[in-house]
Amino acid sequence: MRLGDFLRRQKSLRTHVIHALPVVVLMPHSRCNCRCVMCDIWKANANKHELSAEDLEPHLEAFRRWRTRWFVLSGGEALMHSNLWTLCSLLKRDDDGVVLSLLSTGLLLRRHAAEVVRHVDEVIVSLDGPAETHDAIRRIPHAFTQLADGVAALREHAPGFRVTGRCVIQRRNFRELPEIIDAARSIGLDRISFLAADVSTDAFNRAEPWSAEQVSDVALDRDQAREFADVVERTLAERAADVRSGFVAESPEQMRRLARYFAALHGDGEHVAPRCNAPWVSTVVEADGTVRPCFFHPPLGNLRDAPLDAVLNAPAAVAFRRGLRVDRDPICRRCVCSLHLPPWKRV
């Protein structure tokens, strides 16, 4: 890492004014081609919001100045964008080690495999379980088969291309933790990571936090949370080699935190915030231009209304970061993911 990058990151953490922004999450497209039970993004498919090249062009200088090196193309399904490859080329136009990661449901990977391996550096697919479970959660017939076929197509075009998986643990798949790891291996993924289903915030296109009925349809009940703790321990024992090798991305302690999260929903223990500095090292830009400090905290502004650096360093945004105590904040304490990037760590 360059000394200047290290010092700028340190300055951001110390002053709460963004001087370096290593990671930017972009949602290029608002629609999704799945109807997942734990996510409401698909319910806004009629909106058809997109980030265009014209939207991003005015902010490229800020990305260069902030030494942004990792762009994550999230969703909705980014492959439904009308011209995703123009956006990718724009972000890598002055390529100085810029990395593009594409999050995908996998349903369109075969169709776009040649362009994917040409324009992005890795793909992170959603995997919810073995075939029957995955299809039921996605509510798309043969979704698992299409996902596996898409991964195979990427490897046909580029044998060494990196494809990893991300699994959201919830009521319909928590008992299948070992089988999910096996499914990831069976379709040729390089790694699988796990996170708990978010049932507490208005993220993922929820107009407001879920009702108790909606939460109970996705979250584990008290008995299931206790059962899941046993499933985690059994998985750590039976799949110890996968954890040691890094095929399972999380450490044993991080896996156990998944079970504690669901237990805490029922008052069995307290919610403990993950180690995270996302609002100081990253931002999330939604398909309509909304800018957030992370997926879960309220918006800071909109890049269609003001330059991104003006949004992120507006007095209210600086005050938000200065006042945020991750270990005490109720949103952070219930957070299901984290980004902790020390100043010395290369993206």
Side-chain angles (χ1 to χ4, degrees):
M1 170 186 283
R2 300 177 183 179
L3 177 60
D5 293 347
F6 170 80
L7 294 175
R8 280 189 287 270
R9 288 201 212 170
Q10 282 278 57
K11 193 173 182 180
S12 295
L13 295 171
R14 187 178 69 253
T15 66
H16 309 290
V17 175
I18 298 300
H19 295 276
L21 196 70
V23 183
V24 171
V25 180
L26 300 174
M27 298 180 176
H29 195 76
S30 63
R31 290 192 297 157
C32 188
N33 50 11
C34 285
R35 299 168 58 86
C36 300
V37 297
M38 65 285 189
C39 175
D40 287 348
I41 289 176
W42 58 272
K43 292 182 180 180
N45 278 358
N47 293 341
K48 300 181 182 178
H49 292 303
E50 280 194 348
L51 288 175
S52 67
E54 290 72 23
D55 290 326
L56 293 182
E57 181 81 40
H59 311 287
L60 295 182
E61 191 280 328
F63 293 146
R64 287 191 289 269
R65 177 162 33 88
W66 283 334
R67 301 283 293 169
T68 304
R69 288 294 170 267
W70 186 19
F71 291 95
V72 180
L73 307 178
S74 186
E77 172 55 66
L79 290 174
M80 296 176 73
H81 192 280
S82 61
N83 202 348
L84 183 64
W85 315 125
T86 296
L87 295 190
C88 292
S89 297
L90 191 67
L91 294 171
K92 299 192 89 167
R93 186 171 66 188
D94 301 311
D95 185 5
D96 184 18
V98 167
V99 173
L100 297 186
S101 297
L102 171 68
L103 275 60
S104 177
T105 65
L107 302 184
L108 296 174
L109 283 179
R110 174 160 284 281
R111 182 187 306 176
H112 297 289
E115 296 291 343
V116 169
V117 300
R118 182 178 306 144
H119 289 281
V120 307
D121 299 284
E122 68 168 351
V123 168
I124 305 168
V125 298
S126 298
L127 175 66
D128 294 309
E132 184 176 349
T133 301
H134 181 82
D135 293 357
I137 290 173
R138 297 267 130 186
R139 294 193 283 199
I140 297 293
H142 313 297
F144 183 88
T145 299
Q146 293 178 72
L147 167 60
D149 192 40
V151 174
L154 295 177
R155 296 285 166 64
E156 290 168 8
H157 286 276
F161 189 79
R162 180 171 172 79
V163 189
T164 64
R166 181 173 295 169
C167 179
V168 176
I169 296 297
Q170 46 134 313
R171 178 182 290 260
R172 291 165 177 79
N173 65 5
F174 76 93
R175 293 186 178 93
E176 297 181 290
L177 199 55
E179 290 76 20
I180 295 168
I181 296 171
D182 293 340
R185 281 208 177 278
S186 74
I187 64 175
L189 300 185
D190 295 305
R191 190 178 72 169
I192 181 69
S193 66
F194 297 93
L195 68 159
D198 171 56
V199 296
S200 304
T201 74
D202 61 358
F204 310 113
N205 194 48
R206 296 168 190 157
E208 56 188 26
W210 273 347
S211 67
E213 182 180 0
Q214 290 172 304
V215 170
S216 67
D217 186 50
V218 173
L220 280 55
D221 63 29
R222 175 175 267 118
D223 290 338
Q224 290 170 335
R226 291 167 179 164
E227 181 184 355
F228 183 50
D230 293 335
V231 172
V232 168
E233 293 304 324
R234 175 167 57 86
T235 303
L236 290 174
E238 294 177 356
R239 302 294 191 275
D242 289 323
V243 176
R244 285 195 304 270
S245 70
F247 183 75
V248 173
E250 285 71 29
S251 68
E253 177 57 25
Q254 289 170 324
M255 294 295 288
R256 293 181 178 114
R257 183 178 181 270
L258 295 173
R260 290 197 295 268
Y261 165 83
F262 288 112
L265 291 176
H266 303 284
D268 296 334
E270 295 186 352
H271 286 286
V272 178
R275 193 180 185 196
C276 180
N277 61 2
W280 291 267
V281 300
S282 69
T283 192
V284 174
V285 180
E286 298 178 354
D288 64 354
T290 297
V291 178
R292 292 178 182 265
C294 70
F295 284 105
F296 306 103
H297 279 285
L300 300 173
N302 193 296
L303 57 69
R304 289 173 176 162
D305 298 331
L308 185 59
D309 50 0
V311 173
L312 290 180
N313 284 329
V318 175
F320 164 78
R321 289 188 291 271
R322 180 175 290 115
L324 181 61
R325 300 293 180 266
V326 171
D327 60 336
R328 290 179 241 164
D329 184 85
I331 292 177
C332 295
R333 291 181 64 186
R334 285 175 171 249
C335 188
V336 297
C337 63
S338 69
L339 171 65
H340 181 72
L341 190 66
W344 59 87
K345 187 174 181 180
R346 185 184 298 274
V347 175

